[in-house]
Amino acid sequence: MEKRKRSVSLSFVLLRFACTMFLSMFFCLVLWLATQTLLQHRGFIYHGSVPNQQVEEFLRDHPDTFTEPDDDFLSSYALFDANGMLRKSNANERELAYLTESYKTQTHDQNVKQYTYSDQSTILIHWIYQKDFSNSKLRELLPPFEVLWWITLLFAWILIFALCISWLCKTLSSKLKLFNDISNKIASHNLDFAIYPAGIREYDEALSAMDEMRQALYQSLTEQWRAQQQRDSEIAALAHDLKTPLTLIGGNTELLLCEVFPKKQTQMLNTILSNTNRAQKYLSSLLDISSGSEEPWTACDLSAIFTELSRSLKELAGSKHITLNIENHLSGSRLLQKEHFFRALHNVAQNALEHTPPQKHVSLIGNTLDTGWEFLILDEGCGFTNAALLHATERLWRDDTARQTDGHHGIGLSFTAETIKTLGGTLSLENRKHGGGVVKIFLPFKT
């Protein structure tokens, strides 16, 4: 794994997050206090001690009679006559109830001032130490300034907390995305890439383990590919070596059949020729598998390939008295090894024709979907057995009880499956409800 920067522990990342959050909240508190002080100096709000100062000023010099305070008086008061009846008040219903109860019980609340005038009327004033708006209209319309100001601080802290959490989640998620990207690349067998550290020690240890796994898998797949290439080369060499003597055997047998022999010898020659032809077909299949790796990759028109496939199968379908239905809805190009891909489709379609009785139908359908291209090959034969649905794409697998006739060696379908897999696509087998098999091939747009 390549190194780009010094790693830090996850605990350090969390500590940095906590420090950033608390420092931001502290800065917000300082700004909050500074703004509050500025508003107070500008006269927008009163200091918390102003209500008490107003009360002291109102009762200074022990006045003999009651003088109604102006609108800037911040405290609540209630004036009772000598008989205890309420004469005047600026208090709301709740404050008035409290002042009335305090008058009756002779309360000792330090925030309540009680004073008796010369006419035996008594005033009770309830003041609260809190900052408030200097504008009387704002005091009527809004809750006390100090309550609103604390709510503002609380919302600011909540916003800071949310932003810090979002930053932490984004940071950790971006690091975790490395694991997802690496997993996707490994799953697609794309192992030729570098893994960079995340900058967090615990993450880097896991990434280092994934890098070791990537290298081991890369080496394993490389060795497997080399072994496969060597095996294919050996198969190709063996097939070529066997092709010439088999051709000679078949040719000489055909010449011998031109002569007149007893019935028993003629049957033996026919058996030799039949088995020789089977062996030659088998060798052709092996050559199909081992060839194609050197074919260049080019951008091919899928609709044109499908049309060419349909044209090449019409003669075979006609000779078997099978109706071939063609639906070509393909559009666009794809990077392919054209002959390799054509041979893969041809194997499946030919297999469908060979397993469909005369007077029946085989359908070739090509569709362009939102995410790729779909090829459907539908026949009206006997369908796939349960075993065939599971194993038919395995090399050299043969099902003797269904869809099996002489000349098939379990190679064609496996060759098609490997070809489609190389292109990043999928091949699946199904049975139709009313008899017959379906082969679905999907190629994604991504090359």
Side-chain angles (χ1 to χ4, degrees):
M1 183 173 67
E2 298 189 14
K3 296 184 177 180
R4 293 190 300 177
K5 55 184 178 182
R6 183 174 62 88
S7 297
V8 297
S9 66
L10 182 59
S11 58
F12 176 81
V13 175
L14 297 177
L15 179 62
R16 183 175 60 186
F17 157 75
C19 291
T20 302
M21 183 180 67
F22 285 119
L23 285 174
S24 300
M25 295 176 74
F26 177 75
F27 174 77
C28 182
L29 177 61
V30 171
L31 181 63
W32 180 80
L33 291 173
T35 304
Q36 188 181 75
T37 302
L38 178 63
L39 292 174
Q40 183 177 316
H41 287 168
R42 293 292 179 88
F44 186 77
I45 61 173
Y46 288 126
H47 189 270
S49 62
V50 169
N52 185 36
Q53 293 173 3
Q54 289 180 338
V55 173
E56 296 294 337
E57 181 68 24
F58 184 75
L59 299 177
R60 182 179 295 177
D61 300 330
H62 304 286
D64 293 332
T65 59
F66 171 75
T67 302
E68 185 174 357
D70 57 21
D71 291 339
D72 287 334
F73 192 73
L74 300 178
S75 302
S76 301
Y77 71 89
L79 179 66
F80 300 90
D81 61 17
N83 297 323
M85 301 297 294
L86 180 66
R87 291 175 53 189
K88 286 184 177 295
S89 177
N90 69 344
N92 56 35
E93 184 177 348
R94 185 174 61 86
E95 282 288 327
L96 182 58
Y98 178 72
L99 290 172
T100 302
E101 183 66 23
S102 298
Y103 174 73
K104 293 178 180 179
T105 60
Q106 298 296 315
T107 182
H108 298 289
D109 188 349
Q110 295 181 354
N111 289 346
V112 175
K113 294 289 186 178
Q114 183 172 334
Y115 179 77
T116 302
Y117 293 101
S118 58
D119 61 356
Q120 299 305 309
S121 62
T122 302
I123 187 171
L124 277 80
I125 306 174
H126 183 212
W127 64 275
I128 300 176
Y129 187 92
Q130 70 175 14
K131 297 176 173 61
D132 209 341
F133 296 104
S134 58
N135 189 303
S136 59
K137 292 184 178 180
L138 291 178
R139 291 199 301 272
E140 292 176 2
L141 295 173
L142 300 175
F145 170 82
E146 191 163 325
V147 174
L148 292 176
W149 205 236
W150 277 110
I151 293 175
T152 302
L153 178 63
L154 179 62
F155 273 109
W157 278 353
I158 292 175
L159 179 61
I160 290 173
F161 179 76
L163 291 175
C164 290
I165 288 291
S166 177
W167 166 75
L168 178 64
C169 291
K170 185 177 180 180
T171 300
L172 297 181
S173 297
S174 65
K175 307 301 181 184
L176 289 174
K177 188 175 181 295
L178 292 172
F179 292 91
N180 186 51
D181 293 341
I182 292 170
S183 298
N184 291 335
K185 289 180 179 179
I186 292 177
S188 62
H189 290 178
N190 177 19
L191 303 176
D192 189 15
F193 63 92
I195 297 179
Y196 295 100
I200 300 177
R201 188 174 302 126
E202 290 80 0
Y203 284 22
D204 289 345
E205 290 174 357
L207 288 171
S208 179
M210 293 188 74
D211 191 44
E212 293 177 2
M213 179 183 68
R214 178 192 66 83
Q215 293 177 7
L217 184 58
Y218 181 82
Q219 183 177 1
S220 175
L221 290 177
T222 300
E223 293 175 356
Q224 182 180 349
W225 179 81
R226 289 173 180 170
Q228 178 70 30
Q229 291 295 105
Q230 183 177 359
R231 185 170 68 234
D232 289 344
S233 298
E234 291 173 354
I235 290 174
L238 178 61
H240 280 293
D241 290 342
L242 291 175
K243 190 173 184 179
T244 299
L246 285 174
T247 301
L248 291 174
I249 292 173
N252 289 329
T253 303
E254 289 177 354
L255 290 174
L256 288 173
L257 285 172
C258 293
E259 303 292 335
V260 178
F261 289 98
K263 183 178 180 180
K264 186 175 181 180
Q265 281 79 1
T266 302
Q267 290 177 347
M268 293 175 62
L269 290 173
N270 285 325
T271 302
I272 293 173
L273 182 60
S274 174
N275 284 279
T276 301
N277 290 335
R278 286 187 62 193
Q280 286 179 330
K281 290 182 179 179
Y282 183 64
L283 287 178
S284 298
S285 298
L286 290 177
L287 288 173
D288 282 345
I289 293 176
S290 60
S291 65
S293 59
E294 302 300 326
E295 184 184 353
W297 291 74
T298 57
C300 302
D301 186 341
L302 292 178
S303 179
I305 292 178
F306 198 78
T307 300
E308 183 180 349
L309 174 68
S310 305
R311 189 182 302 115
S312 68
L313 294 168
K314 282 184 178 180
E315 184 176 350
L316 177 60
S319 66
K320 292 180 173 291
H321 306 288
I322 295 172
T323 302
L324 187 63
N325 300 321
I326 308 297
E327 295 183 28
N328 187 351
H329 307 294
L330 298 169
S331 62
S333 299
R334 178 67 147 79
L335 196 64
L336 302 169
Q337 290 177 303
K338 182 179 178 181
E339 293 301 323
H340 219 50
F341 180 68
F342 180 86
R343 191 158 56 244
L345 292 181
H346 193 277
N347 284 344
V348 179
Q350 183 177 352
N351 190 60
L353 288 170
E354 291 178 355
H355 293 92
T356 300
Q359 313 307 323
K360 296 290 186 177
H361 297 75
V362 170
S363 299
L364 305 181
I365 303 173
N367 296 317
T368 302
L369 308 179
D370 294 336
T371 56
W373 298 275
E374 179 185 57
F375 301 84
L376 300 176
I377 297 91
L378 303 89
D379 64 53
E380 295 182 354
C382 56
F384 296 98
T385 64
N386 292 333
L389 291 174
L390 295 175
H391 306 289
T393 57
E394 298 175 8
R395 183 179 292 189
L396 301 180
W397 186 88
R398 299 176 66 179
D399 186 358
D400 293 328
T401 61
R403 301 180 68 89
Q404 180 60 51
T405 60
D406 290 340
H408 291 268
H409 312 94
I411 293 178
L413 198 55
S414 67
F415 168 75
T416 301
E418 291 176 8
T419 301
I420 299 304
K421 184 178 179 181
T422 301
L423 295 171
T426 57
L427 182 147
S428 61
L429 307 178
E430 297 178 6
N431 282 324
R432 303 175 70 176
K433 292 183 179 180
H434 303 293
V438 180
V439 178
K440 291 184 178 181
I441 296 174
F442 174 76
L443 282 185
F445 287 137
K446 185 178 179 181
T447 58

